[in-house]
Amino acid sequence: MPGPPGNPLLVSARIRAGLHTQDDFVIAFQDKAFELGIDATVTVRQVRRWESPAPGWPHPTARTVLTALFGRPPEALGFRRRVRPLPPEAHGASAPSRDEGAMRRRTFVSHSLAVVGSATIPTGPGDVLPVPGSDPLDGIRDVLTGTVCEQEPGTAESLRRDLTEAKRLVQACGYARLAQQLPALLIRFEHPGTALLEQRALDLLAVHAYHVAATLLLKYDDAASAWIAAEKAAAAARRTENPSAIGAAYRILTHAIATVGHRRQAVRMAITGVDRLGGQVNRSAPDSVAVFGALLLRGAWAAALGEDRDAAAELLDEAERTAALLQEATNRQWTAFGAGNVALHRLSIALALGDAGHALQAARTVVPAQLVVAERRATYWSDVARALHACGRTEAAVRALLAAEKAAPEEVRSRTVTRELIGELLQRDCAGRVPLLRALAHWAQVPA
């Protein structure tokens, strides 16, 4: 059986990043260097040395790329700076004589000149100043603000296929991949050019595309950009005059407005959408039922953020009655709406209202395995962890977070609220009585 790797921190970070071979590492390193505008390369031989027991201290440009690639400083990847040995006096040795001191000074000067002569002289600011990393969401923001070039929309089939993949990624919590793919999709709605779809059909697809963009931006706490995307979804929905499209757009607009801090306006937005869609809701129109119910849940959440308990309870109860119109839990219109999702919102809303005890009661009514979307399952376990933490149950909270990480790793690692929760748990468990917490913090890249 092979022994443990020489530099387990770097090996672990590589594998957690999905780079399963050293060749994958080389390709990812070169891609990241190109993305940062840094002229830096690495070979498999160099990677092998970095993953050895004596990895050395990488060159400044390599350190910049490694930090951007793995999201942690070189020290956290197993690299160690070279430490100068202490002078003899520090170990209790006698001071040198005058002649010995003069000889040592001459030796030191000669050595220093040699070091200066062999040193790499900076040729640009990147050699001595940190290079700012790029934000993976900048591409989406560029499209939303109109600062990118036009692109042909492609065929109707390719638009629908790419949009379906984007919807799948957001519900599977594939946020990194989605951030890469989404700009090329969005720009096709920003500049439709000679679209092969009629305007109304294009607008119906645009509602969902901007909905995905706003959802991803909200996941990364960019509510301002999410509001722009949600407004674009609402504008496209209004042009279609399709009640279900309007309801879907108003749902994400409610989310964005509430996250910015305008909770009363968000509730009014949700109620406006509910009124527009109400006449379409019946058992024979399950898609309308799903959109209607999801909008009610978003309105209840916004009301809870505004500490309006009565409105939150009323909208939750109406959502529960609406869920009864669906025969089974589905993912119609990409809403994941159903009785389980209503119960999950009761848990989230109790937390928003500061009632951890009621949140845990609500959690017992949810069967996580029956939640049809990975993002919903991860949200359930994360909310349970928050409630347990509020009740002082640190070890149980960590186990719940591990379940969330298993359901959707990127949902745990990317969400600020979850990373903050891990940090709070670390502070509470300062004695290290919960070893799994340190492993979880390492995976989520939260400093221990």
Side-chain angles (χ1 to χ4, degrees):
M1 179 180 295
N7 183 359
L9 291 177
L10 181 58
V11 173
S12 174
R14 169 168 64 79
I15 294 172
R16 298 294 293 182
L19 309 175
H20 299 293
T21 67
Q22 293 176 339
D23 288 314
D24 292 339
F25 189 156
V26 169
I27 294 171
F29 183 96
Q30 318 250 111
D31 289 345
K32 181 59 68 174
F34 179 79
E35 178 185 326
L36 296 173
I38 296 176
D39 184 13
T41 59
V42 70
T43 64
V44 172
R45 182 178 180 181
Q46 179 65 61
V47 172
R48 193 177 298 122
R49 188 166 73 85
W50 283 348
E51 295 186 354
S52 72
W57 184 241
H59 187 273
T61 54
R63 296 200 300 269
T64 299
V65 178
L66 287 166
T67 300
L69 183 60
F70 296 110
R72 60 186 70 181
E75 292 86 350
L77 296 171
F79 297 104
R80 292 292 179 268
R81 296 179 184 271
R82 293 184 179 89
V83 180
R84 291 182 181 273
L86 292 173
E89 304 90 89
H91 298 286
S94 59
S97 66
R98 179 176 299 179
D99 291 340
E100 288 175 339
M103 183 178 66
R104 289 186 180 181
R105 281 194 295 274
R106 287 194 296 272
T107 303
F108 172 77
V109 171
S110 299
H111 175 71
S112 299
L113 290 173
V115 169
V116 170
S118 63
T120 301
I121 305 301
T123 59
D127 292 340
V128 292
L129 299 175
V131 178
S134 61
D135 189 325
L137 300 181
D138 277 347
I140 299 172
R141 299 185 187 105
D142 287 343
V143 175
L144 295 176
T145 53
T147 56
V148 291
C149 300
E150 297 185 8
Q151 177 174 316
E152 287 297 315
T155 65
E157 180 182 356
S158 69
L159 269 177
R160 291 193 178 95
R161 182 183 63 247
D162 292 348
L163 180 56
T164 298
E165 173 65 4
K167 283 283 192 180
R168 186 194 66 79
L169 283 173
V170 78
Q171 290 197 334
C173 304
Y175 302 142
R177 184 176 172 187
L178 180 61
Q180 293 176 345
Q181 296 182 1
L182 201 51
L185 174 62
L186 290 177
I187 197 172
R188 293 152 75 183
F189 296 100
E190 288 285 317
H191 306 287
T194 56
L196 299 181
L197 290 170
E198 62 173 352
Q199 186 61 47
R200 186 173 185 276
L202 194 66
D203 282 336
L204 285 171
L205 294 176
V207 172
H208 293 288
Y210 289 119
H211 194 299
V212 169
T215 299
L216 182 63
L217 290 160
L218 287 167
K219 291 288 185 185
Y220 285 90
D221 300 316
D222 186 356
S225 298
W227 193 343
I228 296 173
E231 283 286 3
K232 288 178 177 288
R238 294 185 191 105
R239 290 194 296 268
T240 69
E241 299 182 349
N242 180 299
S244 291
I246 292 173
Y250 280 21
R251 175 164 69 102
I252 192 61
L253 191 53
T254 296
H255 194 167
I257 294 172
T259 305
V260 167
H262 303 305
R263 279 67 184 268
R264 291 191 300 275
Q265 288 77 11
V267 174
R268 285 200 289 269
M269 175 61 66
I271 292 173
T272 299
V274 165
D275 290 342
R276 294 284 295 272
L277 195 58
Q280 311 290 320
V281 177
N282 56 70
R283 291 183 184 275
S284 62
D287 286 352
S288 295
V289 170
V291 173
F292 183 81
L295 184 55
L296 286 167
L297 290 177
R298 187 51 62 198
W301 171 80
L305 290 185
E307 299 184 356
D308 188 342
R309 292 176 177 269
D310 292 339
E314 184 178 348
L315 290 166
L316 267 176
D317 290 344
E318 183 62 27
E320 188 168 343
R321 289 189 289 270
T322 301
L325 298 176
L326 296 176
Q327 294 182 350
E328 58 184 4
T330 64
N331 191 23
R332 288 187 176 275
Q333 295 296 301
W334 302 93
T335 62
F337 180 73
N341 207 5
V342 175
L344 175 56
H345 275 75
R346 289 195 182 278
L347 160 60
S348 299
I349 286 170
L351 275 175
L353 293 171
D355 196 337
H358 281 162
L360 291 177
Q361 288 180 3
R364 294 187 180 94
T365 69
V366 180
V367 181
Q370 294 179 0
L371 297 172
V372 296
V373 172
E375 185 270 344
R376 295 284 81 198
R377 294 194 292 274
T379 296
Y380 168 79
W381 286 115
S382 296
D383 283 352
V384 168
R386 290 168 57 204
L388 289 167
H389 172 56
C391 294
R393 298 170 61 184
T394 301
E395 187 173 356
V398 172
R399 291 203 304 273
L401 281 175
L402 289 170
E405 207 270 347
K406 181 180 179 181
E410 284 194 64
E411 177 69 13
V412 173
R413 299 171 195 171
S414 65
R415 298 301 305 280
T416 300
V417 64
T418 310
R419 290 166 56 80
E420 289 177 348
L421 173 59
I422 294 172
E424 292 172 6
L425 289 167
L426 284 168
Q427 290 181 357
R428 176 176 289 178
D429 186 44
C430 56
R433 295 188 178 90
V434 186
L436 286 175
L437 177 56
R438 269 67 193 168
L440 180 63
H442 175 69
W443 294 337
Q445 299 180 10
V446 176

